[in-house]
Amino acid sequence: MTKNRIDALTGIRGIAALWVLLHHLVSQYPLQGKLPVLVEHIAEKGWLGVDLFFILSGFVIAYVHHKDFANQIIGNTMKQFMVKRIARIYPVHLLTTLSLVPIYFGAKWAFGYDSPVNAFSLEKLLYSVSLTNGFGFHDSLGWNAPSWSVSSEFLAYLAFPFLAALLLRKQLSALLCFALIAVIFIITTSIGWVLTDKNSYIAGWEWVSVRVLSEFIFGMLIFQLYRLNFKAPYWLFAIVSALIIVYMSVINAHSRWDWVMVLTFGVLIYALTNSEHGVSRFLASANMKYLGEISYSIYLCHGVVFMVFNSALPKLLPSGEGLFLLIPILIYVVFTLIVAHFMYKLVEIPAQAYLKKRLL
């Protein structure tokens, strides 16, 4: 199998990043209760954008590296794999985290800012810099809050060689793939429902490793179906799955049913592996593809941008409610896209190339 790029999967990353951005903007800044209900409902479900990322990551990593550990786990192969992954995620993560040091102390000095949850402690900085702030350790969340999922991705990368040896060494039958997917959702749903009294599919912070690894494995199993060339009505799957995701977001479906959306993410990803229908063509268009390419920088920059805006430019959030508030939201989004563009061009790509050249 040639490793041709599946451009539609790049495009969907951009949408996922903007969805998470909208969620954080509405939930963490003084907009809650001021926006149209439809916007608030869509934003409320935006936290599931990271689950879409986890599933996508499982598929893409398996797609690119499925042969690396096909026969055995070799130290040199593992080193090359980890260097490539760290070169991909760490430079932007480190820069955005450390950029918050002068921003935090500047806001503290100029505006009297202080975190109500002690988000900027030295201990939490060490968790962030060491990429362990998404392993589920108690009171480890802080600094650039969205970066917890980057740490969780790192955990999945550490597990991938062993998961690949278990799941990718040979082609699994479609029936076995579906059975394993069913087992994953039965286990994760049971854990979530038991621990939250059926209030949430996703269990608490201490169980975040189960969340990321189960969804990463789900993505790997979707790759196995792709590898089998499992036939499906791709265009129908794409449209129906997109409609389900939009519908459940618009009605702000109860969190106990989030497993349906997570499962639907997988169906959508599989549908997008086929490039011949309209949904894939739209997501593979030049603009959507570029949005996906800078999605990692969008994801890690948006919290930093919002902190600066919210501290230094509070007048961008005028009093009032409704559609008028879409103006500051648009400003936030555009400014984040500009910062992400330069982060991608000046940091993400050059640093990745430099580290690969030096370490491989």
Side-chain angles (χ1 to χ4, degrees):
M1 175 186 293
T2 58
K3 298 175 185 177
N4 296 322
R5 184 167 174 169
I6 305 174
D7 288 333
L9 296 185
T10 302
I12 197 67
R13 278 169 41 203
I15 293 178
L18 291 180
W19 196 18
V20 175
L21 179 155
L22 181 63
H23 170 73
H24 288 152
L25 174 60
V26 173
S27 63
Q28 296 183 12
Y29 292 82
L31 292 172
Q32 200 96 44
K34 296 181 178 180
L35 293 169
V37 173
L38 178 64
V39 176
E40 288 201 352
H41 282 183
I42 293 173
E44 177 66 26
K45 286 299 179 186
W47 73 302
L48 293 173
V50 295
D51 299 279
L52 177 53
F53 277 126
F54 292 151
I55 301 167
L56 262 173
S57 181
F59 179 92
V60 171
I61 296 300
Y63 179 70
V64 175
H65 296 284
H66 66 278
K67 292 183 179 179
D68 291 359
F69 306 101
N71 297 317
Q72 57 183 323
I73 300 174
I74 302 174
N76 187 55
T77 305
M78 182 179 287
K79 175 196 170 185
Q80 290 184 13
F81 171 74
M82 290 307 302
V83 166
K84 289 176 182 178
R85 301 324 304 161
I86 291 172
R88 170 74 176 88
I89 66 173
Y90 195 67
V92 175
H93 164 70
L94 181 65
L95 181 59
T96 52
T97 299
L98 295 182
S99 71
L100 282 168
V101 175
I103 291 172
Y104 165 67
F105 285 106
K108 189 179 182 69
W109 173 77
F111 309 108
Y113 173 80
D114 201 8
S115 170
V117 292
N118 194 29
F120 300 100
S121 67
L122 177 60
E123 181 183 9
K124 291 179 179 179
L125 181 62
L126 294 176
Y127 276 122
S128 294
V129 171
S130 64
L131 270 180
T132 55
N133 55 322
F135 284 22
F137 297 133
H138 176 69
D139 202 27
S140 57
L141 281 174
W143 293 89
N144 190 15
S147 69
W148 71 264
S149 63
V150 178
S151 168
S152 295
E153 278 278 318
F154 177 60
L155 177 63
Y157 297 156
L158 291 173
F160 176 75
F162 308 98
L163 294 173
L166 183 64
L167 298 173
L168 303 179
R169 184 162 292 179
K170 62 180 181 179
Q171 291 189 350
L172 306 180
S173 68
L175 182 60
L176 181 55
C177 288
F178 287 125
L180 291 173
I181 290 170
V183 169
I184 287 172
F185 278 89
I186 289 171
I187 292 174
T188 53
T189 303
S190 298
I191 292 173
W193 282 14
V194 167
L195 293 179
T196 66
D197 196 24
K198 292 188 177 180
N199 282 315
S200 178
Y201 156 66
I202 296 171
W205 172 246
E206 292 78 8
W207 292 81
V208 69
S209 58
V210 174
R211 176 183 180 184
V212 60
L213 290 175
S214 64
E215 292 169 356
F216 189 85
I217 293 170
F218 180 29
M220 292 175 65
L221 292 171
I222 295 169
F223 166 74
Q224 280 285 37
L225 291 171
Y226 171 80
R227 194 180 183 186
L228 287 168
N229 197 24
F230 180 76
K231 298 298 181 182
Y234 297 101
W235 67 271
L236 183 61
F237 276 22
I239 292 173
V240 171
S241 58
L243 288 175
I244 291 173
I245 293 166
V246 171
Y247 174 74
M248 293 188 70
S249 299
V250 167
I251 67 169
N252 196 18
H254 195 286
S255 294
R256 74 167 63 96
W257 303 115
D258 284 346
W259 68 269
V260 177
M261 290 187 71
V262 174
L263 180 61
T264 306
F265 291 155
V267 176
L268 178 60
I269 289 169
Y270 190 76
L272 294 179
T273 61
N274 180 281
S275 62
E276 297 178 1
H277 55 84
V279 179
S280 283
R281 287 195 294 271
F282 167 72
L283 290 170
S285 63
N287 289 335
M288 293 304 300
K289 191 165 68 171
Y290 187 69
L291 185 67
E293 287 172 351
I294 66 171
S295 61
Y296 183 64
S297 288
I298 292 172
Y299 183 76
L300 283 181
C301 287
H302 79 268
V304 178
V305 172
F306 291 161
M307 182 176 175
V308 172
F309 269 62
N310 197 49
S311 297
L313 301 171
K315 290 183 179 179
L316 279 177
L317 296 175
S319 59
E321 299 179 0
L323 292 175
F324 185 64
L325 284 174
L326 293 180
I327 296 173
I329 290 178
L330 183 61
I331 294 173
Y332 280 141
V333 172
V334 170
F335 196 80
T336 299
L337 290 177
I338 293 171
V339 173
H341 165 79
F342 287 105
M343 182 70 76
Y344 176 73
K345 291 290 188 180
L346 301 179
V347 178
E348 186 175 340
I349 295 302
Q352 186 175 353
Y354 174 79
L355 289 175
K356 285 183 178 181
K357 183 177 180 179
R358 288 298 301 269
L359 300 176
L360 291 179

